[in-house]
Structures are given as structure tokens and as C-alpha cells.
PDB file of all heavy atoms in Angstrom:
ATOM      1  N   PRO A1139       0.822  -1.218   0.000  1.00 73.00           N
ATOM      2  CA  PRO A1139       0.000   0.000   0.000  1.00 73.00           C
ATOM      3  C   PRO A1139       0.856   1.268   0.000  1.00 73.00           C
ATOM      4  O   PRO A1139       2.032   1.243   0.384  1.00 73.00           O
ATOM      5  CB  PRO A1139      -0.803  -0.116   1.290  1.00 73.00           C
ATOM      6  CG  PRO A1139      -0.027  -1.044   2.156  1.00 73.00           C
ATOM      7  CD  PRO A1139       0.732  -1.963   1.245  1.00 73.00           C
ATOM      8  N   ALA A1140       0.252   2.346  -0.407  1.00 75.00           N
ATOM      9  CA  ALA A1140       0.922   3.651  -0.357  1.00 75.00           C
ATOM     10  C   ALA A1140       1.215   3.991   1.097  1.00 75.00           C
ATOM     11  O   ALA A1140       0.515   3.547   2.010  1.00 75.00           O
ATOM     12  CB  ALA A1140       0.031   4.714  -0.986  1.00 75.00           C
ATOM     13  N   VAL A1141       2.259   4.777   1.311  1.00 73.00           N
ATOM     14  CA  VAL A1141       2.652   5.180   2.662  1.00 73.00           C
ATOM     15  C   VAL A1141       2.679   6.699   2.727  1.00 73.00           C
ATOM     16  O   VAL A1141       3.293   7.348   1.882  1.00 73.00           O
ATOM     17  CB  VAL A1141       4.048   4.621   3.032  1.00 73.00           C
ATOM     18  CG1 VAL A1141       4.486   5.122   4.390  1.00 73.00           C
ATOM     19  CG2 VAL A1141       4.057   3.108   2.984  1.00 73.00           C
ATOM     20  N   SER A1142       2.016   7.233   3.731  1.00 77.00           N
ATOM     21  CA  SER A1142       2.032   8.666   3.944  1.00 77.00           C
ATOM     22  C   SER A1142       2.159   8.904   5.443  1.00 77.00           C
ATOM     23  O   SER A1142       1.210   8.738   6.193  1.00 77.00           O
ATOM     24  CB  SER A1142       0.747   9.300   3.407  1.00 77.00           C
ATOM     25  OG  SER A1142       0.802  10.693   3.585  1.00 77.00           O
ATOM     26  N   GLU A1143       3.353   9.229   5.873  1.00 74.00           N
ATOM     27  CA  GLU A1143       3.648   9.443   7.293  1.00 74.00           C
ATOM     28  C   GLU A1143       4.060  10.900   7.502  1.00 74.00           C
ATOM     29  O   GLU A1143       4.673  11.506   6.627  1.00 74.00           O
ATOM     30  CB  GLU A1143       4.798   8.538   7.745  1.00 74.00           C
ATOM     31  CG  GLU A1143       4.512   7.047   7.639  1.00 74.00           C
ATOM     32  CD  GLU A1143       3.549   6.575   8.700  1.00 74.00           C
ATOM     33  OE1 GLU A1143       3.520   7.158   9.794  1.00 74.00           O
ATOM     34  OE2 GLU A1143       2.792   5.617   8.419  1.00 74.00           O
ATOM     35  N   PRO A1144       3.766  11.447   8.681  1.00 79.00           N
ATOM     36  CA  PRO A1144       4.238  12.813   8.965  1.00 79.00           C
ATOM     37  C   PRO A1144       5.765  12.875   8.891  1.00 79.00           C
ATOM     38  O   PRO A1144       6.445  11.934   9.261  1.00 79.00           O
ATOM     39  CB  PRO A1144       3.753  13.069  10.390  1.00 79.00           C
ATOM     40  CG  PRO A1144       2.763  12.004  10.696  1.00 79.00           C
ATOM     41  CD  PRO A1144       3.032  10.856   9.773  1.00 79.00           C
ATOM     42  N   PHE A1145       6.286  13.962   8.379  1.00 78.00           N
ATOM     43  CA  PHE A1145       7.722  14.246   8.288  1.00 78.00           C
ATOM     44  C   PHE A1145       8.468  13.349   7.301  1.00 78.00           C
ATOM     45  O   PHE A1145       9.688  13.297   7.320  1.00 78.00           O
ATOM     46  CB  PHE A1145       8.395  14.163   9.668  1.00 78.00           C
ATOM     47  CG  PHE A1145       7.699  14.971  10.712  1.00 78.00           C
ATOM     48  CD1 PHE A1145       6.999  14.350  11.743  1.00 78.00           C
ATOM     49  CD2 PHE A1145       7.690  16.355  10.656  1.00 78.00           C
ATOM     50  CE1 PHE A1145       6.335  15.091  12.705  1.00 78.00           C
ATOM     51  CE2 PHE A1145       7.029  17.104  11.616  1.00 78.00           C
ATOM     52  CZ  PHE A1145       6.345  16.478  12.635  1.00 78.00           C
ATOM     53  N   CYS A1146       7.752  12.609   6.450  1.00 76.00           N
ATOM     54  CA  CYS A1146       8.390  11.769   5.432  1.00 76.00           C
ATOM     55  C   CYS A1146       7.747  12.044   4.081  1.00 76.00           C
ATOM     56  O   CYS A1146       6.577  12.395   4.001  1.00 76.00           O
ATOM     57  CB  CYS A1146       8.193  10.285   5.760  1.00 76.00           C
ATOM     58  SG  CYS A1146       9.045   9.749   7.238  1.00 76.00           S
ATOM     59  N   ASP A1147       8.525  11.854   3.029  1.00 76.00           N
ATOM     60  CA  ASP A1147       7.955  11.965   1.691  1.00 76.00           C
ATOM     61  C   ASP A1147       6.990  10.808   1.481  1.00 76.00           C
ATOM     62  O   ASP A1147       7.298   9.670   1.850  1.00 76.00           O
ATOM     63  CB  ASP A1147       9.054  11.905   0.630  1.00 76.00           C
ATOM     64  CG  ASP A1147       9.935  13.146   0.648  1.00 76.00           C
ATOM     65  OD1 ASP A1147       9.453  14.201   1.100  1.00 76.00           O
ATOM     66  OD2 ASP A1147      11.092  13.045   0.203  1.00 76.00           O
ATOM     67  N   PRO A1148       5.825  11.047   0.895  1.00 68.00           N
ATOM     68  CA  PRO A1148       4.878   9.955   0.658  1.00 68.00           C
ATOM     69  C   PRO A1148       5.422   8.975  -0.384  1.00 68.00           C
ATOM     70  O   PRO A1148       6.157   9.365  -1.291  1.00 68.00           O
ATOM     71  CB  PRO A1148       3.631  10.659   0.150  1.00 68.00           C
ATOM     72  CG  PRO A1148       4.086  11.982  -0.317  1.00 68.00           C
ATOM     73  CD  PRO A1148       5.332  12.329   0.440  1.00 68.00           C
ATOM     74  N   LEU A1149       5.075   7.716  -0.220  1.00 69.00           N
ATOM     75  CA  LEU A1149       5.466   6.683  -1.172  1.00 69.00           C
ATOM     76  C   LEU A1149       4.208   6.134  -1.839  1.00 69.00           C
ATOM     77  O   LEU A1149       3.223   5.839  -1.162  1.00 69.00           O
ATOM     78  CB  LEU A1149       6.207   5.549  -0.460  1.00 69.00           C
ATOM     79  CG  LEU A1149       7.523   5.927   0.204  1.00 69.00           C
ATOM     80  CD1 LEU A1149       8.063   4.775   1.031  1.00 69.00           C
ATOM     81  CD2 LEU A1149       8.536   6.334  -0.854  1.00 69.00           C
ATOM     82  N   PRO A1150       4.218   5.995  -3.163  1.00 76.00           N
ATOM     83  CA  PRO A1150       3.019   5.496  -3.855  1.00 76.00           C
ATOM     84  C   PRO A1150       2.832   3.998  -3.628  1.00 76.00           C
ATOM     85  O   PRO A1150       3.755   3.302  -3.177  1.00 76.00           O
ATOM     86  CB  PRO A1150       3.334   5.784  -5.320  1.00 76.00           C
ATOM     87  CG  PRO A1150       4.822   5.741  -5.391  1.00 76.00           C
ATOM     88  CD  PRO A1150       5.315   6.284  -4.063  1.00 76.00           C
ATOM     89  N   GLU A1151       1.670   3.520  -3.964  1.00 73.00           N
ATOM     90  CA  GLU A1151       1.396   2.079  -3.910  1.00 73.00           C
ATOM     91  C   GLU A1151       2.372   1.360  -4.833  1.00 73.00           C
ATOM     92  O   GLU A1151       2.754   1.886  -5.887  1.00 73.00           O
ATOM     93  CB  GLU A1151      -0.039   1.836  -4.377  1.00 73.00           C
ATOM     94  CG  GLU A1151      -0.444   0.381  -4.379  1.00 73.00           C
ATOM     95  CD  GLU A1151      -1.892   0.194  -4.795  1.00 73.00           C
ATOM     96  OE1 GLU A1151      -2.639   1.182  -4.869  1.00 73.00           O
ATOM     97  OE2 GLU A1151      -2.260  -0.954  -5.057  1.00 73.00           O
ATOM     98  N   GLY A1152       2.821   0.178  -4.437  1.00 76.00           N
ATOM     99  CA  GLY A1152       3.755  -0.587  -5.260  1.00 76.00           C
ATOM    100  C   GLY A1152       3.110  -1.066  -6.543  1.00 76.00           C
ATOM    101  O   GLY A1152       1.935  -1.434  -6.565  1.00 76.00           O
ATOM    102  N   LYS A1153       3.866  -1.038  -7.620  1.00 85.00           N
ATOM    103  CA  LYS A1153       3.363  -1.471  -8.925  1.00 85.00           C
ATOM    104  C   LYS A1153       3.342  -2.997  -8.977  1.00 85.00           C
ATOM    105  O   LYS A1153       4.235  -3.656  -8.455  1.00 85.00           O
ATOM    106  CB  LYS A1153       4.265  -0.913 -10.028  1.00 85.00           C
ATOM    107  CG  LYS A1153       3.739  -1.146 -11.408  1.00 85.00           C
ATOM    108  CD  LYS A1153       4.530  -0.363 -12.435  1.00 85.00           C
ATOM    109  CE  LYS A1153       3.947  -0.609 -13.810  1.00 85.00           C
ATOM    110  NZ  LYS A1153       4.615   0.128 -14.840  1.00 85.00           N
ATOM    111  N   ILE A1154       2.334  -3.556  -9.606  1.00 87.00           N
ATOM    112  CA  ILE A1154       2.237  -5.009  -9.746  1.00 87.00           C
ATOM    113  C   ILE A1154       2.909  -5.424 -11.053  1.00 87.00           C
ATOM    114  O   ILE A1154       2.624  -4.856 -12.114  1.00 87.00           O
ATOM    115  CB  ILE A1154       0.765  -5.455  -9.726  1.00 87.00           C
ATOM    116  CG1 ILE A1154       0.181  -5.196  -8.335  1.00 87.00           C
ATOM    117  CG2 ILE A1154       0.638  -6.931 -10.102  1.00 87.00           C
ATOM    118  CD1 ILE A1154      -1.288  -5.521  -8.204  1.00 87.00           C
ATOM    119  N   TYR A1155       3.825  -6.387 -10.968  1.00 89.00           N
ATOM    120  CA  TYR A1155       4.491  -6.965 -12.131  1.00 89.00           C
ATOM    121  C   TYR A1155       4.213  -8.468 -12.146  1.00 89.00           C
ATOM    122  O   TYR A1155       4.245  -9.105 -11.094  1.00 89.00           O
ATOM    123  CB  TYR A1155       6.014  -6.772 -12.066  1.00 89.00           C
ATOM    124  CG  TYR A1155       6.479  -5.352 -12.218  1.00 89.00           C
ATOM    125  CD1 TYR A1155       6.975  -4.652 -11.135  1.00 89.00           C
ATOM    126  CD2 TYR A1155       6.447  -4.721 -13.452  1.00 89.00           C
ATOM    127  CE1 TYR A1155       7.429  -3.351 -11.268  1.00 89.00           C
ATOM    128  CE2 TYR A1155       6.900  -3.421 -13.600  1.00 89.00           C
ATOM    129  CZ  TYR A1155       7.393  -2.743 -12.499  1.00 89.00           C
ATOM    130  OH  TYR A1155       7.843  -1.454 -12.644  1.00 89.00           O
ATOM    131  N   LYS A1156       4.001  -9.036 -13.298  1.00 92.00           N
ATOM    132  CA  LYS A1156       3.804 -10.481 -13.413  1.00 92.00           C
ATOM    133  C   LYS A1156       5.183 -11.129 -13.593  1.00 92.00           C
ATOM    134  O   LYS A1156       5.629 -11.408 -14.707  1.00 92.00           O
ATOM    135  CB  LYS A1156       2.886 -10.811 -14.580  1.00 92.00           C
ATOM    136  CG  LYS A1156       2.560 -12.282 -14.653  1.00 92.00           C
ATOM    137  CD  LYS A1156       1.663 -12.610 -15.827  1.00 92.00           C
ATOM    138  CE  LYS A1156       1.501 -14.118 -15.913  1.00 92.00           C
ATOM    139  NZ  LYS A1156       0.936 -14.521 -17.183  1.00 92.00           N
ATOM    140  N   VAL A1157       5.858 -11.339 -12.473  1.00 94.00           N
ATOM    141  CA  VAL A1157       7.203 -11.928 -12.499  1.00 94.00           C
ATOM    142  C   VAL A1157       7.074 -13.435 -12.710  1.00 94.00           C
ATOM    143  O   VAL A1157       6.343 -14.110 -11.981  1.00 94.00           O
ATOM    144  CB  VAL A1157       7.966 -11.609 -11.200  1.00 94.00           C
ATOM    145  CG1 VAL A1157       9.296 -12.347 -11.156  1.00 94.00           C
ATOM    146  CG2 VAL A1157       8.189 -10.102 -11.071  1.00 94.00           C
ATOM    147  N   THR A1158       7.779 -13.945 -13.706  1.00 95.00           N
ATOM    148  CA  THR A1158       7.703 -15.375 -14.028  1.00 95.00           C
ATOM    149  C   THR A1158       9.001 -16.126 -13.753  1.00 95.00           C
ATOM    150  O   THR A1158       9.001 -17.348 -13.676  1.00 95.00           O
ATOM    151  CB  THR A1158       7.324 -15.566 -15.503  1.00 95.00           C
ATOM    152  OG1 THR A1158       8.235 -14.822 -16.322  1.00 95.00           O
ATOM    153  CG2 THR A1158       5.902 -15.086 -15.766  1.00 95.00           C
ATOM    154  N   ALA A1159      10.108 -15.389 -13.610  1.00 96.00           N
ATOM    155  CA  ALA A1159      11.398 -16.043 -13.393  1.00 96.00           C
ATOM    156  C   ALA A1159      12.358 -15.088 -12.696  1.00 96.00           C
ATOM    157  O   ALA A1159      12.135 -13.883 -12.648  1.00 96.00           O
ATOM    158  CB  ALA A1159      11.982 -16.507 -14.723  1.00 96.00           C
ATOM    159  N   ALA A1160      13.433 -15.672 -12.158  1.00 96.00           N
ATOM    160  CA  ALA A1160      14.495 -14.892 -11.514  1.00 96.00           C
ATOM    161  C   ALA A1160      15.833 -15.401 -12.044  1.00 96.00           C
ATOM    162  O   ALA A1160      16.005 -16.604 -12.273  1.00 96.00           O
ATOM    163  CB  ALA A1160      14.432 -15.043 -10.006  1.00 96.00           C
ATOM    164  N   ARG A1161      16.764 -14.483 -12.219  1.00 95.00           N
ATOM    165  CA  ARG A1161      18.088 -14.833 -12.732  1.00 95.00           C
ATOM    166  C   ARG A1161      19.141 -14.313 -11.770  1.00 95.00           C
ATOM    167  O   ARG A1161      19.051 -13.188 -11.275  1.00 95.00           O
ATOM    168  CB  ARG A1161      18.293 -14.208 -14.108  1.00 95.00           C
ATOM    169  CG  ARG A1161      19.639 -14.510 -14.715  1.00 95.00           C
ATOM    170  CD  ARG A1161      19.746 -13.907 -16.095  1.00 95.00           C
ATOM    171  NE  ARG A1161      21.117 -14.000 -16.596  1.00 95.00           N
ATOM    172  CZ  ARG A1161      21.607 -13.261 -17.570  1.00 95.00           C
ATOM    173  NH1 ARG A1161      20.828 -12.388 -18.181  1.00 95.00           N
ATOM    174  NH2 ARG A1161      22.858 -13.391 -17.935  1.00 95.00           N
ATOM    175  N   LEU A1162      20.167 -15.140 -11.524  1.00 97.00           N
ATOM    176  CA  LEU A1162      21.281 -14.782 -10.651  1.00 97.00           C
ATOM    177  C   LEU A1162      22.585 -15.065 -11.372  1.00 97.00           C
ATOM    178  O   LEU A1162      22.748 -16.136 -11.976  1.00 97.00           O
ATOM    179  CB  LEU A1162      21.224 -15.600  -9.351  1.00 97.00           C
ATOM    180  CG  LEU A1162      22.406 -15.435  -8.404  1.00 97.00           C
ATOM    181  CD1 LEU A1162      22.411 -14.035  -7.781  1.00 97.00           C
ATOM    182  CD2 LEU A1162      22.378 -16.488  -7.314  1.00 97.00           C
ATOM    183  N   ALA A1163      23.516 -14.102 -11.329  1.00 97.00           N
ATOM    184  CA  ALA A1163      24.843 -14.272 -11.917  1.00 97.00           C
ATOM    185  C   ALA A1163      25.887 -13.825 -10.900  1.00 97.00           C
ATOM    186  O   ALA A1163      25.855 -12.684 -10.430  1.00 97.00           O
ATOM    187  CB  ALA A1163      24.975 -13.464 -13.206  1.00 97.00           C
ATOM    188  N   VAL A1164      26.787 -14.745 -10.539  1.00 98.00           N
ATOM    189  CA  VAL A1164      27.869 -14.436  -9.595  1.00 98.00           C
ATOM    190  C   VAL A1164      28.964 -15.495  -9.758  1.00 98.00           C
ATOM    191  O   VAL A1164      28.670 -16.685  -9.877  1.00 98.00           O
ATOM    192  CB  VAL A1164      27.351 -14.380  -8.131  1.00 98.00           C
ATOM    193  CG1 VAL A1164      26.718 -15.688  -7.694  1.00 98.00           C
ATOM    194  CG2 VAL A1164      28.438 -13.958  -7.157  1.00 98.00           C
ATOM    195  N   GLN A1165      30.213 -15.081  -9.812  1.00 98.00           N
ATOM    196  CA  GLN A1165      31.373 -15.969  -9.907  1.00 98.00           C
ATOM    197  C   GLN A1165      31.224 -17.063 -10.964  1.00 98.00           C
ATOM    198  O   GLN A1165      31.497 -18.240 -10.715  1.00 98.00           O
ATOM    199  CB  GLN A1165      31.662 -16.612  -8.546  1.00 98.00           C
ATOM    200  CG  GLN A1165      32.237 -15.664  -7.546  1.00 98.00           C
ATOM    201  CD  GLN A1165      32.692 -16.355  -6.265  1.00 98.00           C
ATOM    202  OE1 GLN A1165      32.401 -17.521  -6.009  1.00 98.00           O
ATOM    203  NE2 GLN A1165      33.415 -15.617  -5.447  1.00 98.00           N
TER     204      GLN A1165
END
């Protein structure tokens, strides 16, 4: 959900993405 707190910049609601996979690359 969106966040709106005193003394902080408001943050919008998170965007929904249809994530189907994850990739990792290291060493």
C-alpha cells in the first residue's frame, strides 16, 4: 500500500508486475 507518514515523503502504492522467473549471476 501507499505510505504517507508525517515528516516523510509519501510513497506510492507498489506497482504489480507479473514476475515469471528470476536470474542470478555471480562468480
Side-chain angles (χ1 to χ4, degrees):
V1141 176
S1142 182
E1143 298 287 330
F1145 309 110
C1146 293
D1147 291 335
L1149 297 172
E1151 179 178 348
K1153 188 170 181 178
I1154 293 177
Y1155 291 108
K1156 185 181 174 194
V1157 174
T1158 54
R1161 180 178 170 200
L1162 174 69
V1164 59
Q1165 288 188 348

